[in-house]
Amino acid sequence: MTRHIKEIIIKYVFFSFALVSIVVLGMIVFSLFREGVPIFKVVSLKDFLFGTEWYPTFDPPLFGIFTLIVGSLIVTIFATLLAVPLGVMTAIYISEIAPRAIKEILKSIIEMLAGLPSVVLGFFGMVVVAPWLQNTFDLPTGLNIVNASMILALMAVPTISSISEDALYAVPHEFKEASYALGATRFETIAKVIVPAALSGITTAVMLGMARAIGETMVVLMVAGGAAAIPESIFDSVRPMPASIAAEMGETPYRSAHYHALFATGMVLFFLTLAFNLIADYVSHKFKQTGSATP
Amino acid sequence: MDSNIIIKLNNVNFYYGNNRALTDISMTFRKNKVTALIGPSGCGKSTLLRLLNRMNDLIDGTRVEGEILFEEKNIYDPEIDPVEIRKKVGMVFQKPNPFPKTIYNNIAYGPKLASNNTGDINTLVEQSLKQAVLWDEVKDILNQSAMKLSGGQQQRLCIARALAMKPDILLMDEPTSALDPISTAKIEELIEELKKNYTIIIVTHNMQQAARISDETAFFYLGNLVEYNKTEKIFTNPDVKHTEDYITGRFG
Ligand SMILES: Nc1ncnc2c1ncn2[C@@H]1O[C@H](COP(=O)(O)OP(=O)(O)OP(=O)(O)O)[C@@H](O)[C@H]1O
Ligand SMILES: [Mg+2]
């Protein structure tokens, strides 16, 4: 066999492995759409997305998922507000400030956090955080937005901090030396040179952390409370999309309207996650070209 | 201290962990002169240069003995803030290392940190770029990323960036080793010009360059200062045989 033929074979072997994952992904998306789209024979796209009544088992059923979308977005946004400072600060501390021993300890703690099954975190939210919230703020239930956001934040922190950390490590040593040589302090160097140079990576980290939070099912199923209503306070319960799908899918008859509605909810979730990934991608490319976000 | 002397080293030893990189160095640097540091690779030239603006502080496990007097004060005195030293002693590195920011912001970076009145940064940027003979090439693209400049332009930008701090001393560690002959010539001309106002200490592996641009030359070998004298003397009639062998290329 000539070297040339060998190379062609190797190329196609790798290509077919890559193809497998693409094909599987395509099939998943296809079945999602096949099972989801029929709901629009029953309800218009507008009523589906913006209807605030989710009563899928009533007669006649009402399929408005706006409250579920709001539930998902609100816990994701609050989780992000908590997780970004925590995750980014941790990454900065680990990569730029911490002495070696502390750095190693912190890194393994974060890895452990990343490895915790979400059901364990959800359980923690249920039996520790919920009663505490309920007693401290005198609430009817501790299963609410605050609880879900905190637990989701805990899940997003490892994603955000480990990807940010890689981005910070990738900042060339020369930039730091240049900054110090100009009489900058360590904190000026971090704030004005290192973080801006790593900003595209940090933004990607945040986006991926958000994508992780919005798609997370078990935690929101266990601690968000499950109320399909527009919340009026951060201590209200919500019913994020994944929680709704997971809770209801077991009880819906195959290919009923309710079944299709849940798949269509999955489609919405899919598009939201896709959007986060596209933004992450766009941001990382945009900033890479100019090298920095600061003009 | 003689008013012509800007830096004075007294019995300086320097260690990376347990490895001694500089042995008992005593020497003085003269104001508004160009001093070249030469010697084979690993002899401690960069180490010495980085001692003068306390850049070696950034490396873990290093230790300095002896004293380095700058403006009559020992810069390694515990009361001295290295940040203040680095504002007065600028540095240009071997590899051009502009920040991934605009040309303007590269120059403005140091001055903006140094003073809270952002005074006339525009003038300062223009002045520094002119001093580094880069102004004409970049005056219309100040808001473009510095990363897009050529290597030679980037190095002149780094010089301009250091000059914007109005330092007393400019340290240059093989500033032209990554550049083509034309950019090198430009930077050498620039050094000629700058020595009217600055004290320049330059590390170079290029003997012709040392001979062309410096007033004094110091030859190092294995962490020792072997010979230090007027450049003319070093290159025509060195006192030490070792120096002559090195300069004439009889050993690397
Ligand atoms: N960061 C460091 N950690 C440990 N040892 C170092 C470090 N930097 C330099 N050294 C050692 O110190 C000695 C002097 O190094 P230095 O970089 O000062 O040499 P140099 O004269 O600048 O060489 P070159 O011409 O190759 O740049 C060398 O033996 C080197 O191995
Ligand atoms: Mg060197």
Side-chain angles (χ1 to χ4, degrees):
Chain A
M1 213 167 18
T2 67
R3 166 118 121 249
H4 184 64
I5 294 178
K6 249 191 208 161
E7 282 188 5
I8 290 182
I9 292 176
I10 291 171
K11 195 175 116 186
Y12 281 104
V13 167
F14 277 93
F15 177 72
S16 38
F17 277 110
L19 205 61
V20 168
S21 46
I22 295 175
V23 168
V24 170
L25 180 68
M27 276 159 45
I28 292 172
V29 173
F30 173 76
S31 59
L32 185 64
F33 278 69
R34 194 188 54 189
E35 304 300 323
V37 168
I39 190 63
F40 299 116
K41 283 184 233 153
V42 182
V43 52
S44 74
L45 178 62
K46 181 169 159 276
D47 287 344
F48 181 69
L49 289 178
F50 298 107
T52 54
E53 316 272 346
W54 176 252
Y55 296 116
T57 51
F58 274 29
D59 194 22
L62 288 166
F63 298 113
I65 62 163
F66 191 66
T67 54
L68 313 187
I69 297 176
V70 169
S72 271
L73 290 180
I74 208 154
V75 292
T76 303
I77 289 168
F78 279 115
T80 308
L81 290 182
L82 292 172
V84 167
L86 248 159
V88 174
M89 293 295 181
T90 308
I92 293 175
Y93 183 72
I94 289 177
S95 73
E96 302 299 327
I97 301 170
R100 185 164 299 144
I102 295 180
K103 183 185 294 195
E104 293 308 319
I105 295 171
L106 252 177
K107 279 178 82 157
S108 37
I109 291 176
I110 302 242
E111 269 160 33
M112 266 170 59
L113 193 58
L116 278 184
S118 53
V119 67
V120 173
L121 280 167
F123 191 65
F124 172 75
M126 266 175 121
V127 304
V128 178
V129 181
W132 175 76
L133 279 176
Q134 199 171 359
N135 294 334
T136 313
F137 297 98
D138 196 19
L139 305 169
T141 171
L143 302 176
N144 54 27
I145 295 173
V146 173
N147 193 340
S149 306
M150 284 183 354
I151 304 290
L152 285 178
L154 221 49
M155 295 194 68
V157 161
T159 308
I160 295 178
S161 88
S162 64
I163 299 176
S164 301
E165 203 189 306
D166 291 343
L168 291 165
Y169 275 129
V171 174
H173 189 64
E174 286 85 29
F175 295 169
K176 301 179 200 175
E177 286 216 309
S179 174
Y180 286 120
L182 288 165
T185 62
R186 179 195 267 189
F187 288 98
E188 287 164 345
T189 302
I190 290 173
K192 304 237 155 96
V193 173
I194 300 176
V195 170
L199 201 60
S200 69
I202 293 176
T203 315
T204 308
V206 170
M207 286 295 157
L208 295 179
M210 286 177 84
R212 172 124 174 67
I214 203 166
E216 169 53 31
T217 308
M218 194 47 83
V219 165
V220 289
L221 184 63
M222 291 170 83
V223 302
I230 302 285
E232 281 159 8
S233 108
I234 56 168
F235 292 116
D236 283 355
S237 294
V238 286
R239 190 179 186 85
M241 289 180 278
S244 185
I245 297 172
E248 296 163 35
M249 192 52 98
E251 289 142 30
T252 56
Y254 182 62
R255 297 213 163 146
S256 64
H258 187 187
Y259 170 95
H260 292 308
L262 291 178
F263 269 95
T265 310
M267 281 163 57
V268 173
L269 206 49
F270 168 76
F271 283 120
L272 274 174
T273 317
L274 188 67
F276 280 117
N277 281 297
L278 289 179
I279 294 171
D281 217 43
Y282 171 77
V283 169
S284 67
H285 282 299
K286 183 173 187 250
F287 288 157
K288 208 154 266 160
Q289 281 163 3
T290 47
S292 162
T294 42
Chain B
M1 199 150 77
D2 181 340
S3 69
N4 281 323
I5 290 170
I6 189 158
I7 291 191
K8 189 168 197 297
L9 281 73
N10 289 329
N11 307 96
V12 173
N13 287 292
F14 182 82
Y15 302 83
Y16 290 106
N18 292 323
N19 283 340
R20 181 151 72 176
L22 292 173
T23 309
D24 202 28
I25 308 284
S26 294
M27 67 192 296
T28 56
F29 291 97
R30 292 180 41 203
K31 204 178 261 178
N32 294 4
K33 297 283 177 205
V34 177
T35 304
L37 310 181
I38 61 170
S41 198
C43 69
K45 307 177 296 293
S46 299
T47 303
L48 179 67
L49 205 64
R50 294 165 58 93
L51 267 177
L52 304 181
N53 65 343
R54 293 196 60 169
M55 285 298 276
N56 285 335
D57 291 23
L58 305 174
I59 302 169
D60 285 341
T62 58
R63 187 159 57 85
V64 190
E65 287 168 5
E67 54 177 15
I68 298 177
L69 301 174
F70 169 54
E71 293 174 338
E72 323 268 314
K73 273 183 283 192
N74 181 6
I75 61 171
Y76 282 89
D77 189 296
E79 288 180 5
I80 300 274
D81 180 0
V83 165
E84 293 308 314
I85 298 297
R86 294 185 197 129
K87 283 177 184 162
K88 293 183 191 156
V89 184
M91 185 162 215
V92 177
F93 298 81
Q94 176 170 3
K95 208 175 128 219
N97 58 353
F99 297 122
K101 300 177 186 287
T102 62
I103 294 171
Y104 181 95
N105 281 341
N106 261 277
I107 310 285
Y109 179 82
K112 272 188 185 164
L113 291 179
S115 64
N116 22 12
N117 74 356
T118 38
D120 205 359
I121 298 262
N122 290 344
T123 317
L124 186 61
V125 168
E126 179 173 342
Q127 201 182 11
S128 312
L129 285 167
K130 278 183 173 158
Q131 263 184 303
V133 208
L134 189 59
W135 175 250
D136 289 332
E137 288 157 71
V138 302
K139 63 172 185 281
D140 300 322
I141 51 166
L142 291 176
N143 284 319
Q144 193 180 303
S145 169
M147 305 309 254
K148 290 185 188 153
L149 297 174
S150 74
Q153 288 174 324
Q154 288 189 0
Q155 194 62 305
R156 277 178 284 146
L157 180 72
C158 292
I159 295 174
R161 182 174 67 182
L163 294 176
M165 294 299 291
K166 301 195 186 301
D168 299 321
I169 302 174
L170 199 55
L171 309 173
M172 302 177 130
D173 195 348
E174 302 182 46
T176 60
S177 68
L179 305 181
D180 67 278
I182 294 172
S183 307
T184 300
K186 278 192 183 158
I187 290 187
E188 287 185 10
E189 269 170 46
L190 174 58
I191 292 171
E192 279 298 321
E193 192 56 36
L194 291 175
K195 77 174 185 189
K196 291 176 191 154
N197 303 309
Y198 301 91
T199 303
I200 295 173
I201 304 172
I202 180 169
V203 170
T204 178
H205 277 287
N206 181 332
M207 291 306 111
Q208 286 85 2
Q209 183 170 68
R212 272 195 303 267
I213 62 175
S214 68
D215 302 296
E216 332 248 326
T217 298
F219 171 60
F220 289 84
Y221 187 69
L222 295 179
N224 292 287
L225 176 58
V226 177
E227 187 170 357
Y228 182 27
N229 222 320
K230 293 231 176 311
T231 298
E232 216 184 282
K233 164 103 172 123
I234 293 265
F235 280 89
T236 53
N237 182 23
D239 289 332
V240 185
K241 176 83 169 46
H242 204 157
T243 314
E244 187 177 343
D245 289 348
Y246 179 72
I247 288 165
T248 53
R250 246 165 290 182
F251 81 91

